[in-house]
Structure formats: C-alpha cells, structure tokens
DNA sequence: GGCCCGTCGATTGTCGACAATCTATCGTCC
DNA sequence: GGACGATAGATTGTCGACAATCGACGGGCC
C-alpha cells in the first residue's frame, strides 16, 4: 500500500468527519447509551469545538441512522428493539454475503492472508477472555471481510451496521458466544475460503447471521434495550 | 397504514433534512452534475437559507457518499467511473436480493398488490415513451420492492443506491433498455412472486442486476462520466 | 524566456449572539 | 382536588461576521 518514504497526497479529514468518528465510537462502546440526548452545548464544550461543526457531525450520524432527530427537542441515540436487531442482522447478511461472493470471484489469495491474520487476532483476544477485545477482533474480522470485497458502498454500509451490532451486544451480553465457539465460527469461514468452496462459504455466513437472529427472537432479550 | 381521521404524532422534518432531499433530487435529475462544486453562498441564496443549515444538509450527503469533501476547497458531486457503476449494481443486488427473500418469507400478498400497481405505472410510462417517466417508474418499482421488505436499513441503503443508479443513467442513456424490454424484465419479477417461486425470483433479480454490469463493463461508456 | 514569490479575490471553516420553541413549575379558577 | 393557563429556564434553530486557507494573477529575478 504505502511504502515508507513514499510521497502521498495529504488527506486531512474535515472537522465534522473527526467529530463524527468520535461520536460513532462513543455510541459503539456505550458511553453514549441508547436513548441518551446529545445536548449541543455540553458536547461542544467536551469536544472543544463550537456548536457549528458539532451539528454538522451529528447530521452525519442522523443520516447513518445512529441518531434520531426530534425538532426543537434534540438529538437522541437510537434505541434498538427486537425488530431492529433482526433488521440489522438481515442487512449484515445481505452485505457480507455479497462481499463473500466478490472475494471468491476476486483476489482470493490476498483475502486468505488478511482474514487469517484477523482470525489470529481473534484467537489471541479469545485467549485473553476479554469481552471487549473479543468484540473488537470480531468486528475487525467482518470489517476486513467487507473491505476485501473492494466495494466501497458495501464498506460504508458495513461500517454503520457493525456499530449497530456492537450496540446490540452491550445490551445483551449474555447471548454473546463463548470464546471457543466464537473462534470456531470464524475459522470455518476462513477454511471455506481457503478451500475455494463458495457454496459452503455462503451457507456458513448465512448460518453465522441467522443463528444470531433466532437466538434473539427466541429469548427476546433486546426488549430490555429501551 | 394511516387511516383517514386517525390521529398520528406530527412529524416535522428538520430543515437539514428538507435541504438534503432537495439536493439529492437535484443530483438525481442531473441539475447538479457529477464533478460540480456546491458553492455554499450561491446555494444558500438559491434555497433561501443561511449557510449553517445548508452545510448540515451537505454533510448528510457526504455521509451518503453522494458528495465528496476537499478541505478548504469545497464540496463536489461525485463522478462515477466504470468501477463505481459495477459497485453500485453489486450493492443493489445485495440489497434487493435480500428484500426479495424477506418478501417471500413475509407478507407476499401485500407485496404482490403493491408491485403489480408499480408495474402498471411502469407500463403507462413505457407507453408514453418518456425516458424520465420510465426512469421514475423504474426507480419507484425498486424502491417499493425494498420498502416491502420492512427492513429500514435496507431501505436507507436502497435510497442512496437508486440515486446513484439514476446518475449512471443520465450519463449513459444509450444503454437504457427499450420500453418493452424494461417492462418485461419487471413483469417476470412480479410473476415469480405471484407464483411463490423463490428460486426463480432470486435468479431473475440477479440477472436483472448483473446483466447491466456486463453491459457497462463491455462497452465501458461510463468512462465518459468524468 | 522561465521560474519564483508576493498579493488579491474568493471560498471555506469557525465562532458568538439572537430568535423560536419546548418542558417544567407554579399559581389560579372552577 | 383537578384542570387550565402563565411564567421561567433551558435547548435548539438560524444568522451574520471574522479568521484561515486556497487558486490565480502579476511583478521581479536569474
């Protein structure tokens, strides 16, 4: 990608983009919890910027669907019910299934290298038994998967969906899989890619997503989200 | 949905949302062409608002990916190359395929009614041989399809993707199908839903998207986009 | 003639202030 | 006692002005 000493055009992010990333991260890790109001003056002071750029950043998240806007009342972090969780995983399936197809038809070798590395980090996180680290590695794996498709639209969609997935997890930690199970679910995906078995890969990714949906809709723990 | 006389909570859209819709529409119909700069003072005067709300609206479109931001230089409408067109149709396939699955597993009857109506409007547009009307009806059909899935995330994705699709079409009108062909491609989709033939529906939607990709990548007319 | 540098106009980025609206509390009337 | 109406505080929505940066033009130097 970028050799050391190589001269690349400097790409400065706009302030709104930086703030949006911070907010997204805060929502993802739960420091901005579902239902919370984002008071402009408070956040602006906290971030050391004026209300202008902050409002621009918040509009980005509204467009993403992470915030909901009520006129003359304020902006709130969305709260997820069972229907949202189901929608999120169905949408993730759509995106990641498509990414899998593109990977199998594209540079499978490169994908295998990157995903094997991502799997290794997931294994390390599982050994540490740190839930946050596991979640981070889990998310990174899927983000890598979609990145490898080379489709920027799918990547943009996945970014938002993975944040929302993370929001689900903070609410219902009990249903997050055991470390060994988590690693295994991802290992079989990498194996299928290694074997070049497209049918198996698609079946596995569908199971990977839909099993979570079934788990949720059966026990229905997301109702506690509100 | 909303019975007449039914009391619903009033939902006023924020100014940023209204402006964003206007801009999206302008981009869709080509009055803001790919590569064009959106000068803030000019647009603000044209829309009768201050620069503040306008900037908020533009940040929404940046997040959507319809505008690209260059720091201290301005915001520009994205221009699409052949790779973009391919990405857009692959992403649309992911979204609409998923929508098809959800429709088949959900309320197929309601879907059949709505899509038959959408098909009728497409037929009418085809008879008028008005390209813009045909495009409108085409877009409305696919938007309805995704709406019927009931998945708001898929709907949000589809909205942006359909605008981008429209941007492609204004660039390469020659490859837009003939009226009869356009109607037929959509009629077979409705028929498959009517017959409850999921496999056929999925095969048809895949063909519907991928045939366009092949058409583009062969002739490569999108290169003229820049 | 070609290159470099400084200046100018224009546009974006940021900020503080004012107006409009909402929620909550308190007082009043029936 | 309960409901209605007014007031106060806080928050959002909007705007105009100032600072920072960029691209283009023109003058000067080698």
């Amino acid at each position: 990608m970028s050799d050391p000493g190589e001269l690349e055009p400097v790409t400065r992010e706009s302030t709104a983009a930086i703030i949006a990333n911070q907010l997204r991260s805060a929502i993802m890790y739960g420091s901005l919890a579902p239902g919370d109001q984002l008071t402009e003056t408070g956040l602006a002071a906290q971030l050391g910027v004026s209300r202008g750029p902050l409002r621009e950043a918040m509009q980005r998240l509204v467009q993403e669907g992470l915030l909901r806007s009520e006129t003359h009342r304020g902006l709130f972090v969305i709260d997820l019910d069972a229907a949202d969780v189901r929608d999120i995983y169905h949408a993730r399936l759509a995106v990641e299934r498509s990414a899998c197809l593109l990977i199998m038809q594209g540079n499978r070798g490169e994908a295998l290298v990157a995903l094997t590395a991502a799997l290794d980090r997931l294994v390390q996180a599982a050994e540490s038994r740190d839930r946050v680290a596991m979640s981070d590695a889990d998310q990174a794996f899927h983000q890598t998967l979609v990145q490898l498709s080379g489709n920027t639209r799918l990547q943009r969609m996945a970014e938002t969906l993975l944040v929302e997935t993370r929001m689900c997890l903070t609410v219902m930690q009990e249903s997050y899989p055991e470390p060994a199970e988590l690693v295994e679910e991802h290992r079989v995906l990498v194996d299928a890619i290694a074997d070049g078995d497209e049918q198996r890969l698609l079946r596995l990714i569908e199971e990977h997503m839909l099993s979570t949906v079934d788990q949720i809709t059966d026990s229905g723990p997301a109702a506690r989200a509100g």
Side-chain angles (χ1 to χ4, degrees), chain A:
Chain A
M1 283 281 190
S2 59
D3 300 331
E6 187 83 9
L7 291 180
E8 304 177 354
V10 291
T11 54
R12 286 170 299 180
E13 273 182 313
S14 75
T15 317
I18 298 171
I19 299 175
N21 285 336
Q22 296 225 16
L23 292 179
R24 204 177 289 118
S25 186
I27 293 173
M28 196 173 76
Y29 286 107
S31 81
L32 286 175
D36 279 4
Q37 178 168 9
L38 283 74
T39 53
E40 300 184 356
T41 51
L43 269 181
Q46 204 170 331
L47 293 166
V49 294
S50 179
R51 281 178 56 213
L54 173 63
R55 281 174 64 91
E56 293 176 14
M58 294 197 299
Q59 288 299 321
R60 285 197 179 207
L61 298 194
V62 169
Q63 182 61 39
E64 271 189 85
L66 295 177
L67 298 181
R68 105 186 106 81
S69 161
E70 298 188 17
T71 318
H72 286 296
R73 204 160 311 176
L75 290 152
F76 303 83
V77 180
I78 57 163
D79 31 22
L80 305 169
D81 58 13
D84 285 310
V85 178
R86 191 193 51 207
D87 282 8
I88 290 166
Y89 276 91
H90 279 151
R92 277 190 63 186
L93 173 55
V95 169
E96 301 200 23
R97 181 187 187 279
S98 183
C100 283
L101 272 172
L102 290 169
I103 285 173
M104 293 305 258
Q105 294 161 12
N107 194 341
R108 216 180 42 150
E110 184 198 351
L112 198 54
V113 173
L115 287 175
T116 303
L119 181 61
D120 281 348
R121 284 190 289 277
L122 186 61
V123 170
Q124 283 178 10
E127 283 170 0
S128 76
R129 303 193 71 82
D130 177 355
R131 283 194 111 77
V132 175
M134 281 167 60
S135 251
D136 281 339
D138 185 355
Q139 178 171 350
F141 181 93
H142 288 279
Q143 195 142 7
T144 304
L145 179 78
V146 179
Q147 262 172 13
L148 287 165
S149 75
N151 188 320
T152 56
R153 270 95 189 158
L154 291 179
Q155 284 172 50
R156 198 196 318 281
M157 298 170 187
E159 191 184 2
T160 302
L161 289 171
L162 289 174
V163 173
E164 291 187 294
T165 301
R166 204 59 172 276
M167 291 173 73
C168 300
L169 296 184
T170 56
V171 170
M172 43 177 188
Q173 295 197 346
E174 70 272 13
S175 62
Y176 200 64
E178 286 302 304
E181 186 183 351
L182 182 71
V183 168
E184 201 49 33
E185 278 200 42
H186 291 83
R187 189 191 303 281
V188 291
L189 290 173
V190 176
D191 286 345
I193 294 175
D195 295 348
D197 190 340
E198 185 176 289
Q199 289 305 315
R200 177 154 55 104
L201 178 61
L202 295 181
R203 200 189 64 236
L204 287 169
I205 195 81
E206 281 172 19
E207 285 173 7
H208 190 67
M209 296 297 162
L210 296 182
S211 72
T212 311
V213 173
D214 290 340
Q215 227 172 322
I216 306 306
T217 48
D218 286 351
S219 56
R224 303 199 293 97

